Amino acid sequence: MNWTRGSFLKHQKEFKDQEMAVDLTDKQCLVTGANTGIGYASAEALAARGATVHLVCRSKEKGEKAVGEIKAKTGNPNVSLQVCDLSSLQQVKDFAAEYTSSGRPLHILVNNAGLMETERTQTVDGLETNFAVNVAGVYAMTELLMPALKRASPESRVITVSSGGMLTENLNENLQYEDKNVFDGTTQYARNKRVQVALTEYWVQKHKDAVGFYSMHPGWVDTGGLKKSMPDFHSTFQKSLRFLNEGADTITWLALQPRAKLQNGEFYFDRKVAAKHLPGFGTQYTPKQVATIASKIHSLCGLPPMSD
């Protein structure tokens, strides 16, 4: 119940309005999965503060609609659509290459796009679909946009939208859930979200203080994705679910704070550092294990050989 709307309203009493009064004019921000849900709310919040916001969406039609709405709501003309399906590694590579070759910096990358498929399917790259979007797409996008992020150093940052569901899952080397006889989409989603938190720690070690890396949990939010993937849960708890802007609040807060105020590599919930592991679940792992997982993902993404 700590992740419900009621808890947000309680925690909100400790929030400081002045922390959100930040002008993002001339800042380049990129939000994946931004045509709906938490991504849309995050993009709108950044645009409302004057940022140049790039909505990375799979659907051109839905993306254009979102861009038009955000421009109208915020009065900010510097909102654009970038069509890219994160389940396609080639599309991710093409988009990242185009962005980095433009010479533009990237101040804020919000890795929000995600999905929970209950049946095991594969993408055009032969990857399990949940893993492809939630892990491989996130990893490739972040790694390939690093030159642009470093152009905006030292205040640039990567915010990855994880989930509290990862708290019950360990770091599992069976990245694509290749069990022959059973597939559990909810478990795979939770495993993916655990990997995202571990990758956030990995990137801090790899890139040091050049860029800030943060993962976060938005709480239980009333999104279309939740309704589709977990209809029974959505029906039972709908009245307790957070509004979209409440789910996006910590994303926006992380985007606006001076990096010196934030703890690099940490997992945030309702504007505070939260535990990554719960007692009794045995989910702890070592940096070496994380590096091994990262190397496997790097290889599956078909990226150039890792540099030391």
Side-chain angles (χ1 to χ4, degrees), residues 45-60:
L46 297 172
R49 290 165 174 82
T52 296
V53 185
H54 307 275
L55 277 64
V56 179
C57 306
R58 179 178 58 181
S59 166
K60 184 174 186 289

Side-chain angles (χ1 to χ4, degrees), residues 149-250:
L149 285 159
K150 289 186 175 180
R151 288 187 197 117
S153 183
E155 283 300 318
S156 54
R157 64 204 62 194
V158 177
I159 302 163
T160 300
V161 181
S162 182
S163 169
M166 64 93 189
L167 289 168
T168 61
E169 294 295 323
N170 203 344
L171 204 57
N172 195 314
E173 292 191 24
N174 182 13
L175 293 169
Q176 299 194 68
Y177 213 116
E178 294 172 304
D179 302 327
K180 299 290 185 183
N181 300 318
V182 63
F183 178 79
D184 188 320
T186 304
T187 298
Q188 175 67 335
Y189 179 82
R191 289 179 179 179
N192 293 168
K193 293 300 174 176
R194 169 61 75 185
V195 173
Q196 290 179 345
V197 170
L199 285 176
T200 297
E201 300 168 2
Y202 167 77
W203 282 319
V204 171
Q205 295 301 312
K206 182 177 180 181
H207 300 288
K208 308 305 179 185
D209 289 328
V211 178
F213 296 94
Y214 316 99
S215 57
M216 60 80 65
H217 174 39
W220 299 134
V221 185
D222 192 1
T223 66
L226 179 66
K227 185 176 182 180
K228 176 187 175 183
S229 302
M230 302 176 67
D232 292 341
F233 178 90
H234 183 272
S235 177
T236 301
F237 292 101
Q238 186 172 12
K239 292 182 179 179
S240 299
L241 298 177
R242 298 178 174 205
F243 296 163
L244 295 179
N245 65 304
E246 295 167 348
D249 179 81
T250 295

Side-chain angles (χ1 to χ4, degrees), residues 43-105:
E44 181 182 346
L46 297 172
R49 290 165 174 82
T52 296
V53 185
H54 307 275
L55 277 64
V56 179
C57 306
R58 179 178 58 181
S59 166
K60 184 174 186 289
E61 181 182 1
K62 293 178 181 178
E64 288 177 342
K65 181 175 182 289
V67 167
E69 290 176 355
I70 291 174
K71 283 182 176 181
K73 288 179 181 179
T74 65
N76 183 347
N78 299 314
V79 181
S80 65
L81 171 65
Q82 308 292 333
V83 177
C84 177
D85 184 348
L86 263 72
S87 72
S88 166
L89 287 169
Q90 191 59 55
Q91 288 193 35
V92 173
K93 292 172 183 177
D94 289 346
F95 165 73
E98 181 181 354
Y99 191 97
T100 55
S101 65
S102 73
R104 288 175 295 184

Side-chain angles (χ1 to χ4, degrees), residues 133-153:
V133 175
N134 300 332
V135 178
V138 169
Y139 180 87
M141 183 72 77
T142 303
E143 286 285 328
L144 295 173
L145 287 174
M146 202 56 62
L149 285 159
K150 289 186 175 180
R151 288 187 197 117
S153 183

